[in-house]
Amino acid sequence: MIAALALAKRAAAETNRALGLLDARRANAIVQAAQEILDGKLDEHFPLSVYQTGSGTQTNMNVNEVIANRANEILGGARGAKSPIHPNDHVNMSQSSNDVFPTATHIATAQEISHRLIPTLRHLHAAFNRKTKAFASIVKIGRTHTQDATPLTLGQEFSGYAAQVASGIARLKLGLCELYPLAQGGTAVGTGVNADRRFAKLFAKAVARMTGLPSSARRTNSEALASHGALVFAHGALDALAADLFKIANDVRLLGSGPRSGLGELILPENEPHRSCWASPRPRTRTARCCARKPGAARLYFGQGV
């Protein structure tokens, strides 16, 4: 989230410079300071808790202050002087906590889903597809509610897992379409007061260039400030994915139970084989725990009115 805010500040500085609202000397220093945050060089300067007012004002000002102080050092000034770069007048120019924080939230979420989660899921999908082919000739009993039903192949069972992951990826892509439009440019209440009317579109283009994602300006900024429906939609896709992965993890744990008195249909790779009484099923357990944590985190997030 801090990195996404720094990215937004860099994009804003570049946009204000392009519009002639911020001189190149100040803009370049802000860009350099924001990049240092993105590079992880200033992490120790962000001590605030995530539990704060819904607008995220404290964190926005924390980022403004860090960038301003570092930019002033870059320009030969003193830390804390607020000159030649002021945290509000220059770093926060054309912005408000009310639009920059939801913007950063969209950027951070879209980046994580697009650059980390979906590539990992594609790898998992490919692995399930390989197992579908490898297990195509292995016939086993199917079950409903753990009771014997009709036969199927183990490959058919794994093809279901592959399809669940593919569906999860498709839903996440729909969620991403909701996250690409950004609130930036709406300023305090969505009217765009104190921001150039060209700011929102130029800002979105700058973000798209930096992230490689098709970010865009929202047509109605008041909706972006008043509602987090886009995030709820994306969270829904994540919840669905978590439910499917939870089911797959539990299937694998159950089918691999044993080795002497469980079902023992799957021979799972040994993990911690030095244990005398049982081999830890930690990879499946970790997956299940992560999946259970996801909807819980969502309830907490939206319950705080973020």
Side-chain angles (χ1 to χ4, degrees):
M1 187 62 196
I2 296 298
L5 281 165
L7 189 147
K9 299 298 175 179
R10 174 175 175 173
E14 292 181 358
T15 302
N16 285 320
R17 179 182 60 196
L19 292 171
L21 303 174
L22 188 64
D23 62 273
R25 178 170 173 263
R26 287 190 175 96
N28 293 341
I30 291 172
V31 167
Q32 182 178 336
Q35 187 59 48
E36 289 185 10
I37 295 175
L38 289 167
D39 294 337
K41 296 179 180 179
L42 304 174
D43 288 350
E44 69 273 16
H45 298 291
F46 302 98
L48 295 179
S49 168
V50 296
Y51 301 107
Q52 52 190 267
T53 63
S55 60
T57 301
Q58 293 95 325
T59 297
N60 182 40
M61 289 309 300
N62 187 179
V63 174
N64 289 337
E65 293 279 356
V66 171
I67 291 177
N69 277 290
R70 180 63 189 124
N72 283 328
E73 288 179 340
I74 292 169
L75 294 178
R79 183 178 296 187
K82 297 186 179 181
S83 179
I85 294 176
H86 191 280
N88 198 43
D89 296 343
H90 302 116
V91 181
N92 205 55
M93 180 183 287
S94 306
Q95 306 154 62
S96 164
S97 295
N98 290 353
D99 65 352
V100 74
F101 204 82
T103 291
T105 305
H106 277 222
I107 292 172
T109 307
Q111 284 187 302
E112 288 295 303
I113 291 175
S114 181
H115 297 326
R116 296 183 64 184
L117 181 56
I118 288 180
T120 301
L121 291 173
R122 285 175 175 152
H123 176 76
L124 179 61
H125 180 254
F128 280 142
N129 276 336
R130 288 194 297 271
K131 293 300 181 183
T132 296
K133 295 177 181 178
F135 299 155
S137 61
I138 301 174
V139 179
K140 56 159 287 182
I141 191 69
R143 295 182 181 87
T144 58
H145 302 283
T146 72
Q147 301 301 299
D148 293 350
T150 56
L152 79 165
T153 67
L154 188 59
Q156 289 172 319
E157 196 164 53
F158 270 75
S159 72
Y161 300 153
Q164 285 176 292
V165 175
S167 294
I169 293 172
R171 294 185 189 108
L172 288 172
K173 288 180 177 179
L174 291 175
L176 283 173
C177 292
E178 293 286 313
L179 295 172
Y180 292 144
L182 304 177
Q184 202 67 55
T187 61
V189 295
T191 61
V193 64
N194 295 327
D196 188 285
R197 61 183 178 81
R198 298 165 292 175
F199 180 86
K201 288 185 178 180
L202 291 176
F203 174 91
K205 289 181 179 179
V207 171
R209 185 182 70 251
M210 290 183 220
T211 62
L213 300 175
S215 299
S216 61
R218 273 195 177 275
R219 293 182 179 180
T220 308
N221 279 318
S222 57
E223 184 267 345
L225 271 60
S227 167
H228 292 297
L231 282 171
V232 175
F233 188 94
H235 268 282
L238 290 168
D239 282 343
L241 173 66
D244 281 343
L245 293 179
F246 189 85
K247 199 273 183 187
I248 294 170
N250 280 336
D251 276 7
V252 172
R253 284 197 294 182
L254 182 63
L255 295 174
S257 61
R260 293 180 178 86
S261 60
L263 291 179
E265 289 189 3
L266 297 178
I267 300 175
L268 304 176
E270 288 187 348
N271 189 40
E272 299 180 353
H274 59 278
R275 289 177 177 267
S276 60
C277 59
W278 55 281
S280 172
R282 286 188 179 177
R284 281 81 66 197
T285 301
R286 280 197 299 265
T287 300
R289 287 176 179 173
C290 288
C291 292
R293 184 178 179 182
K294 165 61 197 70
R299 303 288 96 65
L300 177 63
Y301 180 86
F302 293 112
Q304 290 293 322
V306 175

